[in-house]
Amino acid sequence: MAGLLTYSGIITKSKAMESTLLTDDDFERIINLSSVTDIISYLKEHKGYRQIFRDTDIGIHRGEIEHELIHSLQLTYVKLYRFARVKQRKSIQIFFCRFEVQTIKLCLQGVIQRQSTVDLSLFKDFFERHSNIKLDRLMNQDTIEGLVEALKGTDYYMILKDVSNIVDPT
């Protein structure tokens, strides 16, 4: 019974946060919308995404919407992590690996799409405390080789070092 009580708070918090996510009905409505502009307008009115999209330009590209949605998932993780006690944090840390992989993926997409930088400064403090990934170095890379080198000293370096020898975005 004590184990159940240990996690009841985090479960309750996650269920409350889940209630603001898109439902199956919301997805049905979005599928039937005719443009990206309509989707943004819909998300601006949805209680779970209103804050994320409130300042978003209606002319945003679909890829940027995906980027914002990933940010929203990462913010949700940070909120849960901060809410959790030490023992609870250990059980949800596995999700942080997903957070790191998503971050690396966003930076890799930025390199491939030749964006000047990927702004992940919102998560910098959290990363500095919980990850050995140097977010500043990672965000400012403009080549795959540079991105891989920025991951030196992390669990991801050796995997991506092997892959980077195969992939050439030019």
Side-chain angles (χ1 to χ4, degrees), residues 11 16 51 61 141 148 168:
I11 290 168
Q51 183 180 3
H61 183 270
Q141 298 304 316
V148 171
D168 182 17

Side-chain angles (χ1 to χ4, degrees), residues 132-157:
N132 57 355
I133 293 175
K134 305 298 180 220
L135 206 52
D136 283 337
R137 288 184 60 209
L138 192 66
M139 289 187 313
N140 295 310
Q141 298 304 316
D142 58 0
T143 65
I144 291 176
E145 293 77 22
L147 186 117
V148 171
E149 282 302 307
L151 291 168
K152 202 171 224 175
T154 71
D155 295 335
Y156 306 101
Y157 175 73

Side-chain angles (χ1 to χ4, degrees), residues 58-148:
I58 275 304
I60 190 173
H61 183 270
R62 182 190 59 84
E64 293 171 285
I65 295 172
E66 291 174 17
H67 185 78
E68 291 300 320
L69 291 172
I70 289 170
H71 274 284
S72 113
L73 288 173
Q74 292 169 336
L75 286 170
T76 300
Y77 176 82
V78 170
K79 286 177 188 175
L80 273 177
Y81 190 87
R82 287 183 178 152
F83 177 81
R85 286 182 249 133
V86 174
K87 187 174 181 181
Q88 295 167 333
R89 286 178 177 178
K90 288 182 181 181
S91 66
I92 64 172
Q93 270 182 314
I94 189 71
F95 296 109
F96 189 68
C97 293
R98 181 178 179 191
F99 189 6
E100 288 179 319
V101 169
Q102 286 175 331
T103 301
I104 293 167
K105 182 180 169 187
L106 285 172
C107 291
L108 184 59
Q109 286 173 336
V111 168
I112 291 170
Q113 294 171 0
R114 305 213 185 276
Q115 295 173 348
S116 55
T117 58
V118 176
D119 183 16
L120 298 168
S121 57
L122 185 61
F123 306 106
K124 185 176 184 242
D125 292 339
F126 192 79
F127 257 82
E128 285 178 353
R129 283 190 300 256
H130 302 288
S131 178
N132 57 355
I133 293 175
K134 305 298 180 220
L135 206 52
D136 283 337
R137 288 184 60 209
L138 192 66
M139 289 187 313
N140 295 310
Q141 298 304 316
D142 58 0
T143 65
I144 291 176
E145 293 77 22
L147 186 117
V148 171

Side-chain angles (χ1 to χ4, degrees), residues 12-41:
T12 302
K13 176 77 170 172
S14 65
K15 288 291 184 186
M17 294 171 84
E18 181 182 28
S19 71
T20 65
L21 297 176
L22 295 170
T23 64
D24 289 343
D25 289 341
D26 291 321
F27 282 114
E28 282 295 322
R29 286 187 192 107
I30 288 171
I31 288 169
N32 292 312
L33 295 174
S34 59
S35 69
V36 173
T37 303
D38 293 342
I39 294 170
I40 291 296
S41 295

